[in-house]
Amino acid sequence: MRYLNFGIGDKIPEFSLKDADGNQINSRDFIGKWLVLYFYPRDNTPGCTKEAVDFSNYLEDFRKYNCQIVGVSPDTEEKHANFKEKHNLKVILLSDPEHSILEKFGVWQLKKNYGKENWGVVRSTFLIDPNGIIKKVWENVRVKDHVLEVLESLKELSNNRE
C-alpha cells in the first residue's frame, strides 16, 4: 500500500514556501541541481534536531554532487529562524503551516501515538534529480545513519546518470 502521493519516477509538483528568513523559495529554484527534500514533524525536538544537524554537518559532501538540502515542516518562519540559530543549521528550512506541500506530498497523515490519533508529519525524504524527478524515497525515516544513507544514494545515482 502506498501512503505517499509521489514515488520513484514521478516529477515533483511545483511549490513555493517561505524560508526561515522570509524569502519565497520555489521548487524551480532547484532545477539543474540534485535536491534532498526532507519532511519532518517539528523544530527543536530530539529526532528533528539530530536530522537537521546531521544534514548540516554533511552539507559540503552533498554540495560536491551539486545537491541542495531542504527541510519542510509546519513550523513558522520565526520558529525556523530560532531553530537554525540555536543549532547553527546550514540547510534551507521551509515553513508550511497551512500543510499545502505536506498534504500534496502525502506526508501529512493521521498518526497513532500512545493510543491517541493526531495529524502530523510522517518523517520522509525524497532524493530528486536535476530534472525534478524523484529517484529515491524514504518513508517513516529513522534518523540514525539516515543522512549517510541519503548521501550514499546520491553518490550512486549521480554517477549513474544517463
Side-chain angles (χ1 to χ4, degrees), residues 40-71:
Y40 66 99
R42 199 169 66 186
D43 292 345
N44 288 307
T45 57
C48 297
T49 300
K50 177 162 178 35
E51 185 175 31
V53 167
D54 286 352
F55 273 125
S56 290
N57 288 343
Y58 283 92
L59 184 58
E60 290 307 314
D61 293 294
F62 281 90
R63 284 186 175 156
K64 289 176 187 171
Y65 294 89
N66 193 28
C67 184
Q68 190 67 274
I69 300 171
V70 176

Side-chain angles (χ1 to χ4, degrees), residues 122-157:
V122 174
R123 190 183 310 278
S124 306
T125 302
F126 294 81
L127 180 57
I128 301 155
D129 79 5
N131 298 310
I133 305 299
I134 297 169
K135 293 297 184 181
K136 184 108 179 175
V137 179
W138 293 264
E139 188 177 4
N140 291 311
V141 167
R142 298 289 171 243
V143 174
K144 185 178 179 346
D145 297 326
H146 176 60
V147 170
L148 295 174
E149 289 175 30
V150 177
L151 182 58
E152 195 56 41
S153 292
L154 171 64
K155 288 176 181 178
E156 291 171 13
L157 290 166

Side-chain angles (χ1 to χ4, degrees), residues 23-106:
N23 301 313
Q24 199 71 33
I25 305 294
N26 190 291
S27 54
R28 290 188 309 258
D29 299 339
F30 304 105
I31 296 297
K33 298 178 181 177
W34 283 87
L35 175 64
V36 172
L37 184 63
Y38 76 97
F39 297 92
Y40 66 99
R42 199 169 66 186
D43 292 345
N44 288 307
T45 57
C48 297
T49 300
K50 177 162 178 35
E51 185 175 31
V53 167
D54 286 352
F55 273 125
S56 290
N57 288 343
Y58 283 92
L59 184 58
E60 290 307 314
D61 293 294
F62 281 90
R63 284 186 175 156
K64 289 176 187 171
Y65 294 89
N66 193 28
C67 184
Q68 190 67 274
I69 300 171
V70 176
V72 181
S73 83
D75 290 301
T76 64
E77 299 155 45
E78 295 79 17
K79 283 186 180 176
H80 280 340
N82 170 274
F83 186 44
K84 284 187 80 164
E85 185 177 330
K86 183 176 179 181
H87 300 286
N88 195 29
L89 302 177
K90 299 177 186 108
V91 297
I92 296 169
L93 298 179
L94 299 181
S95 178
D96 190 13
E98 303 297 319
H99 314 140
S100 60
I101 302 310
L102 299 171
E103 289 180 22
K104 198 176 272 191
F105 273 85

Side-chain angles (χ1 to χ4, degrees), residues 109-123:
Q109 297 180 15
L110 194 59
K111 298 163 53 175
K112 278 190 177 183
N113 195 16
Y114 300 110
K116 292 183 180 179
E117 288 188 334
N118 292 302
W119 285 92
V121 176
V122 174
R123 190 183 310 278

